[in-house]
Amino acid sequence: MASFDYVRARSTAERLIARFGQAGLLVRFTASGPSYDPTLTPTPYACTLVDLDVDEELIDGTLILRGDRTVYLSTAGLTIVPALSDKIMIGGAEHVIIDVQPLQPGGTVIFWQLQARK
């Protein structure tokens, strides 16, 4: 029995996100200096993403709020793994990352699904 080609699924996701998505920035902050007064230095990483409204039935007013965004983040050209401490720039607006989930069947990350909040 032939196994599923997850690398091909990843390249399909990359192609679709590039076609229907937009350019964005994933911003990682690095702390330097004393721990009681650190200096945070932002490092932007170019990325391609699809920005979607959260489904109405998922909004519970606690974990998912009105105005939250579902973001599909392509793996193409992305050199870091998204983290909750990062910020995502969508259309020039900074968003906090609330949740990061990889779509990762068979150990291959196809894309990253983020919950983002302004």
Side-chain angles (χ1 to χ4, degrees):
M1 180 175 188
S3 63
F4 188 79
D5 187 359
Y6 293 109
V7 174
R8 185 172 173 193
R10 178 186 206 166
S11 60
T12 299
E14 290 172 351
R15 188 177 66 253
L16 289 170
I17 292 172
R19 182 173 179 189
F20 298 107
Q22 60 183 308
L25 290 173
L26 188 63
V27 182
R28 173 141 310 157
F29 293 88
T30 308
S32 60
S35 61
Y36 60 86
D37 188 21
T39 301
L40 295 177
T41 306
T43 305
Y45 294 88
C47 61
T48 307
L49 56 91
V50 173
D51 175 35
L52 303 167
D53 292 326
V54 172
D55 290 332
E56 281 290 320
E57 62 270 3
L58 296 177
I59 297 172
D60 63 3
T62 305
L63 297 175
I64 302 174
L65 305 177
R66 188 167 308 285
D68 283 2
R69 313 297 301 158
T70 297
V71 178
Y72 296 146
L73 185 63
S74 178
T75 56
L78 193 60
T79 58
I80 61 171
V81 173
L84 294 176
S85 57
D86 298 337
K87 306 253 190 236
I88 187 99
M89 298 294 289
I90 305 170
E94 183 179 89
H95 292 73
V96 175
I97 297 175
I98 304 300
D99 190 32
V100 177
Q101 296 294 323
L103 178 64
Q104 188 177 10
T108 302
V109 177
I110 307 298
F111 64 85
W112 297 93
Q113 181 174 332
L114 311 177
Q115 178 188 346
R117 183 174 296 153
K118 224 177 200 181

